[in-house]
Amino acid sequence: MRFFSDNAASVHPAVLEALAAANHVDTAYDGDALSKSLDAAFSELFETPVTALWIASGTAANALALASLCPPHGSILCHRDAHIQNDECGAPEFYTHGAKLLLGEGEGAKLNPVTAAAALDAVANDVHRVQPHAISITNATEYGCVYTPDEVGALGALARARGFGFHMDGARFANAVAHLGCSPADVTWRAGVDILSFGFVKNGGMSAEALIFFKPELVGATHQRRKRAGHLLSKGRYLATQILALLEGDRWLANAHLANAKAQVLAIAAGTRLLHPVHANELFLRMTPDEGAKLRAQGFDFYDWAEREVRFVVSWDQDDRDIAKFAAAIAAL
Amino acid sequence: MRFFSDNAASVHPAVLEALAAANHVDTAYDGDALSKSLDAAFSELFETPVTALWIASGTAANALALASLCPPHGSILCHRDAHIQNDECGAPEFYTHGAKLLLGEGEGAKLNPVTAAAALDAVANDVHRVQPHAISITNATEYGCVYTPDEVGALGALARARGFGFHMDGARFANAVAHLGCSPADVTWRAGVDILSFGFVKNGGMSAEALIFFKPELVGATHQRRKRAGHLLSKGRYLATQILALLEGDRWLANAHLANAKAQVLAIAAGTRLLHPVHANELFLRMTPDEGAKLRAQGFDFYDWAEREVRFVVSWDQDDRDIAKFAAAIAAL
Amino acid sequence: MRFFSDNAASVHPAVLEALAAANHVDTAYDGDALSKSLDAAFSELFETPVTALWIASGTAANALALASLCPPHGSILCHRDAHIQNDECGAPEFYTHGAKLLLGEGEGAKLNPVTAAAALDAVANDVHRVQPHAISITNATEYGCVYTPDEVGALGALARARGFGFHMDGARFANAVAHLGCSPADVTWRAGVDILSFGFVKNGGMSAEALIFFKPELVGATHQRRKRAGHLLSKGRYLATQILALLEGDRWLANAHLANAKAQVLAIAAGTRLLHPVHANELFLRMTPDEGAKLRAQGFDFYDWAEREVRFVVSWDQDDRDIAKFAAAIAAL
Amino acid sequence: MRFFSDNAASVHPAVLEALAAANHVDTAYDGDALSKSLDAAFSELFETPVTALWIASGTAANALALASLCPPHGSILCHRDAHIQNDECGAPEFYTHGAKLLLGEGEGAKLNPVTAAAALDAVANDVHRVQPHAISITNATEYGCVYTPDEVGALGALARARGFGFHMDGARFANAVAHLGCSPADVTWRAGVDILSFGFVKNGGMSAEALIFFKPELVGATHQRRKRAGHLLSKGRYLATQILALLEGDRWLANAHLANAKAQVLAIAAGTRLLHPVHANELFLRMTPDEGAKLRAQGFDFYDWAEREVRFVVSWDQDDRDIAKFAAAIAAL
């Protein structure tokens, strides 16, 4: 029973059906009818006109977003535990041609206006220092915490006040929205977000994320960058259809509710072991190596995250009986 | 009836079945059993130990190959009509961090040792000039012509003599092998090719190409480059399974034989209009705008390629009755 | 007697005097009084407000100019014999983060509107092709020919019509102006040039070129790019003072007149051997290896440029007696 | 009286004399006799065969060194107060094509094996994380502290144990050696340093630093990188001669002794205000805004470094009477 990562989860049956349904001749790249319908589909979801591009990975989506917000000689403020800093092998640096990530602090991998301003203000404004141009946050965060619309809005106001772009890495955006119960608009553009990497792969998709531009002018050279990164796949309709299948009937949200709910079962079992509030589908627990070994001996797989700290990630498609067994095993430690 | 591009073709049913069959939990990225089986599958096909990586696009596969063969301050010799020069929005320059493409001549978009040496020898060997480090050819070429093993071998010998790497863009490698009737090994590593971008998408696949390293040491930092380009997709098993499905029972070759055969039907109809020999699944014809309009009026779609020149691309899945109608329409011009 | 390159020439005595005169404490980088006076000095020379930066090399000046005119996914049209294409080890590609050079034709290394349009029009306007964003010409050219204001203006009009930037590599701009007898303004901004690399090193300077922006908005991130390239030297006053010394009393123009005049002496001697008109201080001659050997045996050093082709470059400081001897030796062949 | 920066200092008279003495025709770029003599001169100084290149700025020297030690997908460990992190506008990221700087801790801007290992060990060894490839330290540090040979050696041993390259930013290397009284070899290659940026500009030079490779194989593509960065100046002899003039009779060391001694005068006056030991020519003092204003009112200029913290930098050429006045003024606060 795998609690390593929601990347290991299966693909939602509706996605497979959509792939089969799309299996006929159509225009190549993103000129097909399905790809062309993404703007409208996301504009409806976000209650505002947006430009939406399919991208085969969250790393590429993030890096393209950052490249549209920050020049090579600039920096992007993010939390020191951000995925873009730690888990993308330098994709932001590659796509931006060498911009820096400026690291900020905050509980649960969340920046806040105080920590953000502290990091930004430490950079003297001259030609010798790499100047910040953007802020990037992850929602839900790398520690499974969720920024509320107000929290996002406070950072959005800071970004706006300084003339910065504002990006949200939403690899688990669905889990965040499911937790918040708000409109997707409330926690994005209404709170100042300019570009959202909207993750589908961890949430029932196969190989398609959506990159959402709330300000069309920020698309800029993203089409060229996507192409020259080899991310303008030649049969784009098979990416678009995955996304559309998950948008249909709000499957994306239903899946996220499932994953979050299953995570809550484990959270209750984990009790005081929890290192962060469990808002989404990730749990971080205090655990000795011996305790970890006991769980593994019972067939539960997961990552050691730090010394005496483990991470569990729950997927939308995990069997509730497995969840129950795991909860029992955790409680019994 | 679309003769624009084999990128528009549908996906082979076996690929869809394979996707469904792979739809269960497995390790993320390329740690799953399917991804791990690619090396063995291609080693068998190529009769030599190879390292094989899935890549979601041919552009990314080419660019990764070139980045492993050429430093930022080097150049890669290719034909002036090469896809890497004209159709990838600078992906080679992006992935290599600014290497140049050195352009050579040759009929049918084919380099040969004479034209290759002419281009290479024009570069004085000093620190002021960007020095060539690699040769890249496309087989089948951008004009639908196929390099024979001997022709590849002559360029391979040149590359070896100069200490260069040698890459083959095989977006339509299957069509080339189908035409040649040789072993895949004969026209690649036995002829000196170091790295092959082996295309599956135009030939029945959905979103997976294979990057084949005949010299394991050339893999070098390709894993890191793939990751930082956002091309280490998190559910890699869905790419691996596409490739494996097309390798199974040599479907890749059967599909290519189909496409080539259908192209031959059109070639016969085209007769003296043909601008290049039709080895694979592409045809380039002399055609006046009036003639083109007549064909289009009958429902046949295709690209104008140059002045009084059109391109037809035939896909493996096109209906033989459409092919017959198109042949008749061409012959009737 | 060296006719290799004007890079080998000595430094004008006034430049050395200026260095000594500047040898006192002042603000670092480009905050000193001398650096700050460059804008005014060049604005007067060019009869329009300009922004002027010192740069330690022509290669860096060119590359910074191109980086301000062309994004990583764009291309710059230049002549196929341009210095930026052949003699800078890929500096344009490095500074632009991978832009391409689009190569055009023309006698004497000069582009013209017909050859420029031919090269530009061959690039289809879609996301797959690297799109041109700028034109760069060299005046005097790499074959020692000079563009007239009208010729520059015709290319400037083309650039403007297409929304491109327009750069002039003026490594031997002084020689061009000396030949033309026009105002520096006539052959630059009045003819549509946006940015000029104004060379001083080949013309009496030691280590300072000037980068002139005729449109202040194009300076953009040039200050940041100069810094991050390590070209914001910490004691910039020693660069500024070199330039100011050569501007004073139009020494830059006097030196260029000297070099051009000496070149004319050789040009007369060369007669029908000349492969290009001699407008500036470079000569290209037909010459057999035997003839070349004869000259070298008499102590004259120069480059073989191509098969049966040699290049002589004359410097402002060469002794007229050496010139006379060389002329005689050439005539006597 | 300026205590801003040793970048503002004048040039040693011997350097100006050397420039004048070099003012004759010679081969361009680095083919001249002076440039060619650098290897021997530095090999003698360092008691081992080295390769030495002139570079016009310390930023470029550092960036070229790092580019030879770290690939685009790697990282370089440095102190969080390092010049390469804070004062080069991203030059390391530009020259390395996007490598990251991994930041470590330590008093006085000095890394040590414990803090270095802590930073390095926090990076999991997988393809998702940017892997460290090199360590870079500054000696004397950005806080005017000097690493001893033993301290350097401990980090050198760590670098060697992990297979990393080891770079020393020696913008004030002369001041460090003057403080230590050791052989330059002891604190560089004998302690494991692979490449040294040896600063001359702050210490009597005009526009030439030396990049010293203690392992010739690490030069690699540095010549190409220097050229494509526009740092292969065409009249290199005027850079080489500056360095040779400062090496002659150990002027570099005498100048550093002067600067350090003058700094000691101020250090004694500063007493308990000092925030770091004064090993070289920089002082960091606790100081209220009022106190700073008093000093400035007496004609002393310097930087506010942080809240209630100021920096003084002493140059080799400052008048001892000014130093005495400043010392008195500080003591009188």
Side-chain angles (χ1 to χ4, degrees), chain A residues 30-41:
Chain A
D30 60 353
D32 61 283
L34 293 165
S35 297
K36 286 181 168 174
S37 73
L38 289 182
D39 284 359

Side-chain angles (χ1 to χ4, degrees), chain B residues 72 75 133 160 165 168 180 194-195 200 225 229 288 293 309:
Chain B
S75 75
H133 283 70
R160 199 166 48 249
M168 181 178 282
L180 293 168
D194 296 317
I195 312 179
F200 287 90
R225 287 191 200 100
T288 65
E309 182 178 343

Side-chain angles (χ1 to χ4, degrees), chain B residues 39-327:
Chain B
D39 284 359
F42 282 103
S43 294
E44 188 186 331
L45 182 67
F46 282 102
E47 307 168 53
T48 192
V50 307
T51 298
L53 282 74
W54 43 253
I55 309 282
S57 77
T59 292
N62 287 340
L64 285 168
L66 299 178
S68 83
L69 295 176
C70 185
H73 56 276
S75 75
I76 300 138
L77 174 67
C78 67
H79 194 279
R80 70 171 56 257
D81 292 321
H83 196 269
I84 58 172
Q85 162 69 4
N86 295 321
D87 295 295
E88 302 189 346
C89 197
E93 289 83 357
F94 180 45
Y95 278 74
T96 61
H97 299 292
K100 292 175 82 83
L101 299 183
L102 177 66
L103 305 181
E105 312 292 336
E107 284 298 303
K110 288 165 74 172
L111 291 176
N112 61 59
V114 174
T115 59
L120 295 169
D121 292 343
V123 181
N125 184 9
D126 62 38
V127 78
H128 304 282
R129 288 254 175 170
V130 171
Q131 298 300 314
H133 283 70
I135 301 176
S136 177
I137 62 172
T138 311
N139 203 15
T141 74
E142 289 75 8
Y143 281 125
C145 300
V146 170
Y147 285 92
T148 65
D150 281 354
E151 289 170 336
V152 175
L155 289 164
L158 178 68
R160 199 166 48 249
R162 302 206 178 205
F164 295 169
F166 190 22
H167 166 249
M168 181 178 282
D169 174 357
R172 295 185 182 93
F173 180 71
N175 304 87
V177 172
H179 170 74
L180 293 168
C182 68
S183 157
D186 293 339
V187 71
T188 55
W189 65 272
R190 282 191 193 127
V193 172
D194 296 317
I195 312 179
L196 170 69
S197 303
F198 190 152
F200 287 90
V201 172
K202 294 176 193 296
N203 191 35
M206 179 187 286
S207 60
E209 314 281 42
L211 185 57
I212 311 293
F213 290 86
F214 297 109
K215 292 181 183 162
E217 70 272 20
L218 290 174
V219 175
T222 303
H223 287 285
Q224 282 79 11
R225 287 191 200 100
R226 180 172 68 167
K227 173 68 195 178
R228 86 199 244 106
H231 275 288
L232 181 61
L233 302 199
S234 53
K235 293 179 169 177
R237 59 198 185 276
Y238 296 100
L239 277 77
T241 202
Q242 297 177 43
I243 295 170
L244 293 166
L246 290 167
L247 288 181
E248 197 188 324
D250 281 338
R251 285 191 184 101
W252 66 280
L253 195 56
N255 284 356
H257 274 298
L258 280 172
N260 287 6
K262 293 175 205 288
Q264 283 304 319
V265 176
L266 300 187
I268 290 162
T272 58
R273 289 180 179 274
L274 289 175
L275 289 156
H276 302 287
V278 178
H279 295 157
N281 63 328
E282 293 187 294
L283 301 94
F284 294 80
L285 285 74
R286 275 183 212 88
M287 190 165 290
T288 65
D290 276 1
E291 292 170 331
K294 272 189 209 162
L295 290 179
R296 288 187 175 109
Q298 298 171 65
F300 302 103
D301 282 340
F302 48 86
Y303 278 118
D304 290 321
W305 202 249
E307 216 185 314
R308 294 177 174 255
E309 182 178 343
V310 297
R311 184 185 83 160
F312 306 151
V313 189
V314 184
S315 301
W316 66 277
D317 66 342
Q318 281 186 300
D319 192 308
D320 281 333
R321 287 163 300 187
D322 289 347
I323 298 289
K325 278 188 219 163
F326 194 25

